Amino acid sequence: MTDMDLLVVGELNADVIVECGDVRPTFGQVEEIVEDATIVLGSSGAITACGAARLGARVAMVGVVGDDWLGEFVLDRLRERGVDTRYCLRRPGRRTGMSVVLGARGDRSILTFPGEIGRLAASDVPAEAIAAARHLHVSSYFLQHDLWPGLPGLLRAARERGLTTSIDPNWDPGRSFDQGLPALLPLVDYLLPNEAEALRIAAASGHPGLGSAHEAAAVLASLGTGAVVKCGADGALLHRPDGTRLSVTAPEITPLETTGAGDSFDAGLLTALLAGRDLPAALRTASACGALSTQGSGGTAAQPDAAQADALAATLTVVDLAATAGPGSHPFTDSTLTHPQENQQ
């Protein structure tokens, strides 16, 4: 019997959010005054875990922090939001990662000190944690260098136990957008990049020069995964290997601060699917969660509960692109989260 819905395997760090407004950093010991600054729980995985817990899912996190005060800060914030941290590791004498997020009128620059961010290995994920979960989500793939060698085996073990799987790759600081990710996609039910990431991962898989998120999603789906591409104010789209093609609108909300919006989107999508909702409903919930999370500073402050997410999701539209494409299209039929190639729970 499973006792958790979602197991998140990923990076753990704090974020220093600096709202620059119209100011741009200037070197040469130049001091500028900014609009706001705060330190909050960061990291894609932690934000997704907190968002799912806020929506009512049972969530556990596997990640690594140092034994410094920042590590305790990160773990305390997770616990406060209802995330089980029993599988998180604290490494003696090591430092917890930190990102400085410079916000400027809707755009961002992110400067990250890795610390222990990339020091989580597949062997650090207990078999009991996999056995207890229904879904395995991996965050910030390109930062998780110690995870790369063992992740194929971890995903296979999860699939053999009946778990569904997902990866949010996030940005690749090395700019290759490969590191073995394209080869992993047949083991991944849902890949959750933003548009820029999707285009680069598709290029790394041998398809350079693509011009749109739909083209990138189609390439990724052809590699054996369900590609859910987040397009900000343009909503999101889904392509699956079975021919399913959907798009969802984004709510008309003016963002206050966009850190972690994509991670809250992930939380909404996965929680809705694990609750038995069909893909259109899950996409509406995801879009609502991503939008509502932008109404506070940092990734977790404004994450919605289930009632808030459902209320906004009900106003959004999902278009079945395959059904409107005419002859030869593949109409949407799936109502559960299934393995694209294995067609099993």
Side-chain angles (χ1 to χ4, degrees):
M1 296 292 293
T2 60
D3 60 12
M4 77 179 78
D5 300 306
L6 177 63
L7 179 67
V8 179
V9 173
E11 85 289 22
L12 288 174
N13 62 268
D15 281 348
V16 179
I17 308 292
V18 182
E19 285 301 321
C20 298
D22 295 322
V23 171
R24 297 296 180 271
T26 304
F27 286 94
Q29 302 185 54
V30 174
E31 183 173 3
E32 305 280 5
I33 301 299
V34 297
E35 294 180 356
D36 194 16
T38 185
I39 182 169
V40 297
L41 176 66
S43 69
S44 172
I47 294 170
T48 297
C50 290
R54 175 74 168 150
L55 291 167
R58 302 165 300 169
V59 186
M61 181 89 199
V62 184
V64 182
V65 295
D67 63 353
D68 50 5
W69 71 269
L70 200 57
E72 189 64 33
F73 172 86
V74 166
L75 295 181
D76 282 347
R77 299 294 85 74
L78 283 167
R79 295 184 194 111
E80 286 174 359
R81 289 163 175 79
V83 177
D84 188 336
T85 62
R86 78 179 82 174
Y87 305 117
C88 293
L89 304 174
R90 298 196 72 180
R91 296 267 168 79
R94 306 296 296 177
R95 295 175 61 191
T96 303
M98 177 184 292
S99 291
V100 178
V101 182
L102 305 178
R105 306 294 186 232
D107 197 3
R108 291 182 297 161
S109 176
I110 304 173
L111 307 174
T112 295
F113 164 67
E116 289 296 282
I117 281 177
R119 298 300 182 184
L120 179 70
S123 58
D124 294 322
V125 183
E128 67 183 73
I130 297 293
R134 298 172 57 209
H135 183 91
L136 173 65
H137 176 70
V138 177
S139 63
S140 293
Y141 176 87
F142 293 116
L143 296 180
Q144 301 290 328
H145 48 77
D146 281 10
L147 189 62
W148 297 340
L151 187 55
L154 187 64
L155 290 170
R156 289 190 189 97
R159 297 286 285 271
E160 288 169 0
R161 285 189 168 271
L163 279 71
T164 46
T165 58
S166 57
I167 293 179
D168 188 329
N170 279 273
W171 188 258
D172 180 8
R175 307 299 197 271
S176 79
F177 291 89
D178 189 337
Q179 305 297 353
L181 179 60
L184 276 181
L185 295 185
L187 298 173
V188 179
D189 291 293
Y190 290 96
L191 184 72
L192 303 166
N194 65 27
E195 183 173 3
E197 294 156 0
L199 287 164
R200 286 165 173 79
I201 295 167
S205 73
H207 297 81
L210 300 179
S212 72
H214 278 286
E215 291 175 328
V219 166
L220 297 174
S222 75
L223 298 177
T225 191
V228 182
V229 181
K230 295 166 279 191
C231 302
D234 292 326
L237 56 92
L238 163 69
H239 283 231
R240 285 188 13 148
D242 64 3
T244 300
R245 288 178 289 152
L246 305 173
S247 69
V248 63
T249 56
E252 295 184 5
I253 288 179
T254 301
L256 172 66
E257 202 266 303
T258 60
T259 297
D263 308 315
S264 291
F265 178 104
D266 297 350
L269 182 82
L270 298 177
T271 301
L273 289 169
L274 287 166
R277 297 185 179 183
D278 62 22
L279 280 169
L283 286 171
R284 286 191 288 268
T285 300
S287 187
C289 287
L292 289 170
S293 76
T294 69
Q295 301 304 288
S297 182
T300 63
Q303 287 179 317
D305 61 23
Q308 293 167 327
D310 288 345
L312 184 57
T315 70
L316 305 181
T317 300
V318 171
V319 176
D320 184 341
L321 301 171
T324 60
S329 65
H330 299 278
F332 171 78
T333 57
D334 291 74
S335 60
T336 58
L337 180 63
T338 58
H339 296 316
Q341 294 185 330
E342 300 173 35
N343 192 31
Q344 65 181 46
Q345 289 288 3

